[in-house]
Amino acid sequence: MCKVISLIIISVFGFYNINAQGVYAGKVTKEEADIPADFLFESQFITLGTEKIHYVESGEGDPVLLLHGLPSSSYVWRNVIPKIDSDKQVIALDFLGFGKSSFPENRDVSIEVQYKMFTDFIAAKQLKNVTLFMQDIGSLVGMLYAIREPQNVKAIVLFEAPFMPADYMYDQLPFTFKAFMRLTRTKKGNERWMVKKNFAGKKLAVNFFTGRKLPKEAYPHYTQPWEEEERRYAITNGPDPAVLSYTKGKGESEFASMLDTISTGMKNTELPILYFYAKKGLVNRKEAVEYARENFKNSQEVYLGKGKHFLTESHPRQMSEKFNEWFKQLN
């Protein structure tokens, strides 16, 4: 298994497109040094129906919701929260089955189930005029909320987010990611890699998503949630982009339909958008940046430099500074 994963990671990191200069212009900024591993926030829990949701909260002011991606948790935001909370109510939550939130007994963690939890959370906390700072599966939930409930959204912040139509999304993915999608597109293959082999719970996988080697104190925050085999089904039973590999994104599937809905909504929204990207992202490659430039109506982009999937693990200070500058302009 390790040899296969190593080949995938080496290939992804080695992929280079000489036509990307317009997107990755200028000097490639390296990952920031001395990124703390400590999670210094007090855990809070809220019961929504039969489930218990974990979140952390800091600051007072306009609400900013931090929505993590796969396969992480609120921990991925630890170095952003204290740098943006001086005049904002910053909340980072764990989706169902992730981090310290409960995992439904029926194993249903579909996007609509996560969406229902998210809307219930907003209602329970009485959050108004929210800004959504989001990535990956968190952005799927957040973008749907912005499309369905725009009256309660102030602005949108994205990175490593699937905001494109299904076929466009699939075409711009690196070859090695497509190859891994083919390995996990069946129920048997998905369970083999994610449940039995515990791919997300390996240090090698964590380094792949972060794009850098983490300090040893950071790894347990990423790997411990997956030590219990049952909880690994939170990955297999959630949104499954691997199904796109059957028809290269051009066929019909629940995931493809959702991406088409989201891409249409994002093209039509007038909400302010701040878009972070790096060289080379896993979900957002050069073509994704070009698509955002062509289709977002009210957006500002920030090229961070070198990074992978968890950009808050490579450029938390820069992301926080740029976010604060942009957020101040909104007011």
Side-chain angles (χ1 to χ4, degrees):
M1 174 187 175
C2 289
K3 289 183 179 179
V4 173
I5 296 174
S6 296
L7 287 173
I8 291 173
I9 293 174
I10 291 170
S11 297
V12 171
F13 275 102
F15 185 87
Y16 183 71
N17 188 332
I18 60 174
N19 296 319
Q21 297 306 310
V23 170
Y24 308 118
K27 184 179 180 180
V28 180
T29 305
K30 295 182 179 180
E31 296 95 341
E32 295 169 11
D34 302 320
I35 299 176
D38 295 333
F39 192 67
L40 303 176
F41 309 97
E42 180 182 356
S43 290
Q44 299 188 53
F45 293 89
I46 186 170
T47 300
L48 302 174
T50 60
E51 305 301 335
K52 184 177 291 187
I53 305 304
H54 171 257
Y55 69 99
V56 297
E57 183 173 357
S58 183
E60 296 181 357
D62 289 344
V64 178
L65 293 172
L66 309 180
L67 309 181
H68 69 82
L70 179 73
S72 63
S73 66
S74 53
Y75 178 74
V76 80
W77 299 103
R78 70 192 180 283
N79 292 308
V80 171
I81 298 170
K83 294 179 176 64
I84 68 172
D85 67 351
S86 61
D87 57 353
K88 311 171 191 72
Q89 179 188 13
V90 182
I91 301 173
L93 58 82
D94 291 342
F95 282 104
L96 289 167
F98 293 80
K100 297 179 181 178
S101 289
S102 61
F103 181 46
E105 289 187 5
N106 64 2
R107 296 178 176 174
D108 187 356
V109 286
S110 65
I111 283 298
E112 289 300 337
V113 168
Q114 300 283 21
Y115 181 85
K116 177 63 164 55
M117 178 278 291
F118 183 61
T119 56
D120 289 347
F121 182 89
I122 289 176
K125 294 284 291 179
Q126 299 181 343
L127 302 175
K128 303 296 183 183
N129 200 29
V130 301
T131 294
L132 304 170
F133 198 157
M134 50 197 174
Q135 178 237 5
D136 197 59
I137 63 166
S139 67
L140 292 174
V141 173
M143 287 186 289
L144 283 175
Y145 186 79
I147 292 167
R148 295 171 179 174
E149 305 292 339
Q151 74 283 353
N152 197 39
V153 177
K154 179 175 183 175
I156 299 169
V157 188
L158 296 168
F159 67 95
E160 282 290 282
F163 48 73
M164 297 149 281
D167 57 345
Y168 201 103
M169 168 72 183
Y170 181 82
D171 287 345
Q172 59 95 50
L173 293 174
F175 168 79
T176 44
F177 190 15
K178 294 175 183 176
F180 193 70
M181 290 168 71
R182 287 195 288 273
L183 289 175
T184 60
R185 67 186 181 183
T186 65
K187 181 179 180 180
K188 183 178 180 180
N190 207 356
E191 288 189 358
R192 179 170 181 262
W193 282 93
M194 299 305 176
V195 179
K196 301 304 178 183
K197 292 183 177 294
N198 189 21
F199 174 77
K202 306 296 183 183
K203 288 185 178 181
L204 191 63
V206 176
N207 288 340
F208 171 54
F209 288 117
T210 59
R212 68 182 181 93
K213 184 177 181 180
L214 298 177
K216 63 180 181 180
E217 297 82 7
Y219 287 109
H221 293 277
Y222 283 106
T223 60
Q224 282 181 356
W226 310 120
E227 290 180 355
E228 182 184 344
E229 184 172 302
E230 172 64 15
R231 285 182 67 90
R232 298 172 199 164
Y233 284 96
I235 300 176
T236 67
N237 290 20
D240 187 10
V243 300
L244 299 180
S245 65
Y246 280 108
T247 59
K248 299 183 179 180
K250 296 177 174 61
E252 294 183 3
S253 70
E254 184 177 343
F255 191 81
S257 177
M258 177 177 59
L259 289 187
D260 291 341
T261 296
I262 286 174
S263 63
T264 299
M266 291 297 289
K267 285 175 66 175
N268 293 332
T269 186
E270 300 286 348
L271 291 169
I273 300 172
L274 178 62
Y275 176 44
F276 290 107
Y277 69 95
K279 182 181 181 179
K280 305 266 186 164
L282 179 63
V283 174
N284 287 178
R285 309 291 282 187
K286 175 181 74 74
E287 294 82 359
V289 181
E290 293 172 339
Y291 178 91
R293 289 176 177 177
E294 294 173 2
N295 291 282
F296 290 168
K297 292 182 178 180
N298 183 15
S299 68
Q300 179 178 326
E301 67 178 44
V302 176
Y303 170 42
L304 297 170
K306 185 179 180 181
K308 201 63 184 173
H309 191 49
F310 297 160
L311 300 187
T312 55
E313 284 286 9
S314 51
H315 299 280
R317 299 182 188 93
Q318 185 184 179
M319 293 179 77
S320 300
E321 291 170 2
K322 295 297 183 182
F323 172 79
N324 285 334
E325 293 172 5
W326 174 79
F327 192 85
K328 186 176 181 180
Q329 294 174 355
L330 297 180
N331 293 329

